[in-house]
Amino acid sequence: MRKLQKRSVELASIGWHGDRTVQVWTGCLLGKDIVTKSWNWRSAEEIVLALEQTSSLIEAGATVSAAIATVGIASATYFRWRKQFVGLSPARVKEIAELKQEVSRLRRAIAEIESK
């Protein structure tokens, strides 16, 4: 059995869309590469901005498929993001993230007090 080796590759070099580098394990499945999942590439603010850009392109007369191709996302990703982030502004998304951090901090403080 071959030893697994970890290396970085460009997504475009393995036939995927995008300009990002991912970690790949070589030596698995008869020498084929296995891409490890690390799909948290865009922050919520970036997602909202991409959705705003896509909607402005659609309003300008572009088709949905042309607009999402311009933004650089897949159609399934666009519709999932649209369902998840409908009606949110980048400022509101940032506020929600800050509130989640505050809740997490308070839960840790409560757990610490209860353990004493």
Side-chain angles (χ1 to χ4, degrees), residues 43-53 55 81-82 84-98:
S43 66
E45 292 89 0
E46 291 174 328
I47 292 171
V48 170
L49 290 174
L51 289 173
E52 288 176 353
Q53 182 182 4
S55 65
W81 285 355
R82 191 177 75 173
Q84 184 177 1
F85 293 98
V86 65
L88 292 178
S89 67
R92 182 70 177 143
V93 170
K94 187 174 184 179
E95 181 183 340
I96 291 170
E98 290 171 356

Side-chain angles (χ1 to χ4, degrees), residues 12-70:
S13 69
I14 58 174
W16 289 14
H17 299 290
D19 58 351
R20 306 212 181 217
T21 302
V22 294
Q23 295 296 314
V24 174
W25 292 97
T26 304
C28 304
L29 297 176
L30 304 173
K32 294 184 180 178
D33 291 337
I34 295 178
V35 178
T36 59
K37 285 189 174 182
S38 59
W39 303 121
N40 296 327
W41 290 336
R42 296 191 184 185
S43 66
E45 292 89 0
E46 291 174 328
I47 292 171
V48 170
L49 290 174
L51 289 173
E52 288 176 353
Q53 182 182 4
T54 305
S55 65
S56 66
L57 288 170
I58 292 170
E59 289 173 2
T63 63
V64 173
S65 59
I68 61 176
T70 303

Side-chain angles (χ1 to χ4, degrees), residues 6-7 10 17 27 31 64 76 89 115:
K6 194 174 186 181
R7 63 185 174 91
E10 293 292 324
H17 299 290
V64 173
S89 67
S115 67

